[in-house]
């Protein structure tokens, strides 16, 4: 299945990571990680940094799944607002999830500092716009609950929104903890770093077709008939993880993204904030270091790649129109457009940890519009689990909550 189509900007900007190393012989490793996207790369990083031998396997060219299509905004805010998530999963879990998400942005920044990988990580404010009066009421509720739980947030009324961001709207929530990056550069950079420094093996074009439990772990079977013996397996296979899951836990969504031609930086909105809104599905926007604007949204339930791709032209028009409604004076001329698929869960939280009863099989499923912050959390939780370190986040993101 195609994970995305159209021209994903990051691959053009960075060029493909030309790495071809299919597994040609049977192999043994402590931890086998399936998937070389940002999740697999961060898991590999955490394990290598902890001195745990691991190997990454990917059926495609490295990091060309959803990671290559991502608009790579890093926000502590999860797709489901905190005030609504509390109704769904309870205050303790919802607040812990928001705090974990906040922490993960700083942790990711530290990973890039430590490895000297430079994926254009940049702190920018996040502006959560009220799309209408109902959205404003939601933001008022959201502001109070975030304040109560000491999450960084400011309230901008319509005057403050216009004064700070030149947007004629109802109001917004603002925080300065968000960031943006180039997710493809991050994933390939981390994998290259650990390949060069030892500790990691990387196999591309190696499809893990099946697995069997053994006395000491698992044996994986690849499309070329090779066997991989491992003590632990980590599934970081994005939305194709379904084939390893005993039960369906996610819904698939098609999503669309555009990038503009570069503009004079003076034309861009103040502070180059990440801007998104309360409407569902939500529209969102960011800028890039080369003064382009990247916008996205228009999500629809995924049926098949053909239908998703057929809608692309129409979605381009709709996204351009939504941008013009917010910033009518900024000229947005589309340079590239693409569509991708991502997974979401009913409560907006990812699934991280082992399936009940399968102690040596870990899932790192960073689902939702904030998939990347969840990837960071997954990498740390799994590393801690392998090192026997207690991690409270397991209860927040684990599979046990699916029946709640
Ligand atoms: C258009 C778009 C915009 C987005 N914007 C944002 C955003 O702004 N912020 C954010 O946080 N998130 C965003 N997301 C979500 C984010 O991109 C994803 O959560 C993230 O990229 C998932 O990374 P991953 O490594 O888990 O999955 P992927 O990048 O899909 O990697 C999974 C890998 O597993 C491999 N694989 C699968 N099955 C097998 C198998 N059986 N054997 C071997 N290999 C296998 C695949 O080939 C693939 O390379 C966006 C997604 C899209 C599509």
């Amino acid at each position: 299945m195609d994970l995305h189509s159209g021209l994903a900007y990051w691959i053009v900007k960075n060029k493909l990571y030309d790495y071809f190393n299919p597994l040609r012989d049977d192999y043994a490793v402590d931890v086998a990680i399936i998937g070389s996207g940002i999740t697999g790369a961060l898991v590999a990083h955490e394990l290598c940094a902890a001195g745990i031998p691991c190997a990454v396997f990917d059926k495609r060219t490295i990091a060309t799944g959803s990671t290559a299509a991502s608009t790579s905004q890093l926000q502590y805010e999860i797709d489901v607002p905190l005030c609504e998530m509390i109704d769904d999963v309870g205050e303790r879990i919802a607040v812990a999830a928001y705090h974990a998400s906040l922490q993960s942005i700083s942790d990711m920044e530290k990973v890039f500092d430590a490895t000297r990988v430079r994926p254009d990580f940049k702190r920018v404010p996040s502006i959560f716009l009220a799309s209408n009066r109902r959205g404003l009421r939601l933001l008022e509720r959201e502001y109070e609950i975030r304040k109560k739980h000491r999450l960084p947030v400011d309230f901008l009324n319509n005057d403050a929104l216009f004064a700070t961001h030149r947007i004629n709207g109802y109001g917004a929530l603002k925080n300065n903890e968000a960031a943006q990056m180039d997710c493809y550069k991050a994933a390939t950079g981390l994998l290259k770093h650990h390949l060069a420094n030892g500790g990691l093996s990387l196999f591309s074009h190696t499809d893990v077709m099946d697995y069997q439990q053994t006395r000491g772990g698992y044996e994986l079977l690849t499309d070329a008939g090779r066997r991989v013996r491992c003590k632990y397996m980590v599934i970081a296979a994005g939305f194709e993880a379904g084939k390893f899951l005993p039960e369906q836990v996610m819904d698939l969504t098609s999503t669309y993204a555009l990038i503009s031609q570069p503009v004079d930086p003076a034309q861009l909105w103040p502070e180059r904030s990440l801007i998104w809104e309360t409407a569902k599905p939500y529209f969102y926007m960011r800028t890039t270091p080369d003064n382009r604007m990247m916008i996205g949204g228009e999500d629809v339930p995924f049926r098949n790649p053909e239908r998703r791709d057929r809608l692309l032209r129409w979605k381009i028009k709709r996204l351009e129109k939504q941008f013009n409604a917010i910033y009518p004076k900024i000229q947005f001329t589309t340079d590239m457009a693409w569509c991708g698929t991502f997974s979401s869960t009913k409560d907006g939280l990812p699934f991280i940890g082992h399936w009940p009863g399968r102690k040596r099989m870990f899932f790192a499923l960073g689902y939702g519009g904030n998939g990347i912050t969840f990837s960071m959390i997954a990498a740390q939780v799994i590393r801690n689990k392998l090192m026997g370190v207690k991690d409270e986040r397991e209860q927040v993101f684990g599979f046990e909550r699916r029946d709640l």
Side-chain angles (χ1 to χ4, degrees):
M1 187 198 287
D2 297 338
L3 296 181
H4 55 83
S5 51
L7 204 49
Y9 170 67
W10 306 120
I11 294 186
V12 178
K13 178 178 161 271
N14 294 296
K15 300 199 192 115
L16 279 174
Y17 176 23
D18 242 347
Y19 183 89
F20 182 70
N21 185 30
L23 182 69
R24 294 200 165 92
D25 297 302
D26 290 353
Y27 191 74
V29 65
D30 282 13
V31 185
I33 302 165
I34 302 170
S36 69
I38 188 64
T39 312
L42 283 166
V43 173
H45 166 76
E46 290 298 326
L47 300 192
C48 288
I52 302 172
C54 56
V56 170
F57 301 85
D58 201 303
K59 64 184 187 184
R60 298 188 170 79
T61 298
I62 298 302
T64 53
S66 304
T67 294
S70 181
T71 47
S72 307
Q73 303 186 175
L74 308 175
Q75 286 161 290
Y76 83 75
E77 297 143 303
I78 299 170
D79 283 355
V80 178
L82 179 60
C83 61
E84 290 178 355
M85 188 178 281
I86 284 177
D87 295 341
D88 208 14
V89 299
E91 191 150 335
R92 188 183 63 82
I93 289 194
V95 171
Y98 263 71
H99 275 286
S101 197
L102 174 63
Q103 181 61 40
S104 72
I105 301 173
S106 301
D107 290 349
M108 230 180 296
E109 191 171 16
K110 285 186 199 139
V111 167
F112 301 132
D113 282 347
T115 53
R116 301 208 178 136
V117 168
R118 303 274 174 248
D120 301 325
F121 180 99
K122 187 173 187 293
R123 291 279 181 176
V124 277
S126 161
I127 297 289
F128 187 18
L129 279 184
S131 309
N132 46 36
R133 280 189 201 292
R134 204 162 146 228
L136 184 61
R137 285 196 294 277
L138 171 82
L139 291 193
E140 285 163 354
R141 227 164 33 104
E142 182 70 4
Y143 174 70
E144 293 304 328
I145 197 87
R146 286 203 212 165
K147 278 301 245 194
K148 176 180 164 199
H149 292 289
R150 297 176 193 283
L151 286 158
V153 63
D154 289 322
F155 190 87
L156 304 181
N157 64 17
N158 54 348
D159 290 338
L161 179 61
F162 189 77
T164 58
H165 277 77
R166 301 200 311 255
I167 297 175
N168 250 320
Y170 296 87
L173 297 186
K174 179 180 181 195
N175 73 77
N176 293 315
E177 304 300 321
Q180 62 184 34
M181 67 170 179
D182 172 342
C183 189
Y184 176 76
K185 201 171 174 186
T188 51
L190 287 173
L191 293 170
K192 283 177 194 172
H193 172 83
H194 288 293
L195 269 181
N197 287 280
L200 177 69
S201 303
L202 179 60
F203 298 99
S204 66
H205 306 96
T206 302
D207 194 345
V208 177
M209 307 288 286
D210 206 354
Y211 63 92
Q212 270 184 350
Q213 204 160 351
T214 60
R215 206 187 300 161
Y218 284 95
E219 186 173 82
L220 317 183
L221 182 68
T222 74
D223 52 338
R226 302 291 163 238
R227 290 175 193 280
V228 179
R229 272 185 298 113
C230 58
K231 294 180 191 156
Y232 299 93
M233 71 191 270
V234 177
I235 292 135
F239 79 78
E240 290 171 309
K243 82 186 241 192
F244 299 96
L245 281 161
E247 192 183 290
Q248 190 72 12
V249 293
M250 75 273 205
D251 297 318
L252 298 183
T253 304
S254 299
T255 186
Y256 299 83
L258 317 181
I259 189 148
S260 75
Q261 291 176 0
V263 295
D264 182 336
Q267 272 195 40
L268 292 170
W269 54 91
E271 300 181 73
R272 294 181 170 224
S273 302
L274 309 183
I275 301 177
W276 60 304
E277 52 154 3
T278 55
K280 288 201 178 132
Y282 60 83
F283 171 79
Y284 59 89
M285 57 212 250
R286 60 164 280 189
T287 63
T288 62
D290 55 350
N291 305 314
R292 295 169 185 268
M293 297 165 279
M294 191 180 265
I295 65 177
E298 282 294 316
D299 303 357
V300 285
F302 173 84
R303 294 220 191 99
N304 53 58
E306 292 74 26
R307 179 174 185 271
R308 180 196 64 195
D309 299 355
R310 255 199 324 273
L311 293 175
L312 182 58
R313 283 209 167 273
W314 182 57
K315 295 292 188 181
I316 292 173
K317 295 271 165 287
R318 287 183 57 97
L319 286 170
E320 287 172 343
K321 206 167 150 195
Q322 290 190 64
F323 177 84
N324 284 330
I326 296 175
Y327 281 122
K329 291 193 181 145
I330 303 180
Q331 176 69 38
F332 187 105
T333 309
T334 300
D335 229 357
M336 292 168 221
W338 62 98
C339 41
T341 305
F342 71 88
S343 312
S344 52
T345 56
K346 294 205 169 29
D347 56 16
L349 295 177
F351 283 105
I352 295 169
H354 62 80
W355 188 266
R358 295 189 181 176
K359 297 273 180 220
R360 287 170 176 268
M361 184 190 220
F362 296 103
F363 287 90
L365 309 179
Y367 289 159
N370 291 57
I372 304 166
T373 51
F374 296 146
S375 303
M376 182 72 251
I377 297 169
Q380 294 169 331
V381 168
I382 291 168
R383 176 209 58 205
N384 285 343
K385 196 78 191 156
L386 292 178
M387 295 181 76
V389 176
K390 193 169 160 46
D391 194 322
E392 310 256 309
R393 292 172 295 183
E394 251 190 287
Q395 285 159 21
V396 177
F397 300 114
F399 285 97
E400 278 77 8
R401 76 167 201 284
R402 76 192 189 284
D403 299 326
L404 294 178

